Amino acid sequence: MSTYTTIQGDVWDAIAYKVYGDSKYMGFLMDANPDKITIFVFGAGVVLNVPNLPASETAAPNMPTWRTG
């Protein structure tokens, strides 16, 4: 797990895009930071936990199962 320090105006989906490369992973960020779940637009300096994505999310699509394990 790593952390991300927000800049003024950051929002969940944009942070997910910055740290994971895709906004579809914002749920992982939200789950890892339940104390900040009510924040919609962040101020500067908020430190968020950034969990590693599960292996099932990082495997390349259309790869044979023996290559994804």
Side-chain angles (χ1 to χ4, degrees), residues 7-53:
I7 59 172
Q8 182 67 39
D10 268 343
V11 292
W12 289 107
D13 58 339
I15 297 167
Y17 186 82
K18 288 178 187 179
V19 299
Y20 296 128
D22 197 319
S23 61
K24 72 180 181 180
Y25 299 120
M26 79 177 184
F28 289 104
L29 285 175
M30 296 172 95
D31 288 345
N33 297 280
D35 57 322
K36 296 171 182 74
I37 201 76
T38 59
I39 301 172
F40 295 103
V41 180
F42 288 90
V46 178
V47 178
L48 299 175
N49 294 316
V50 178
N52 296 326
L53 292 176

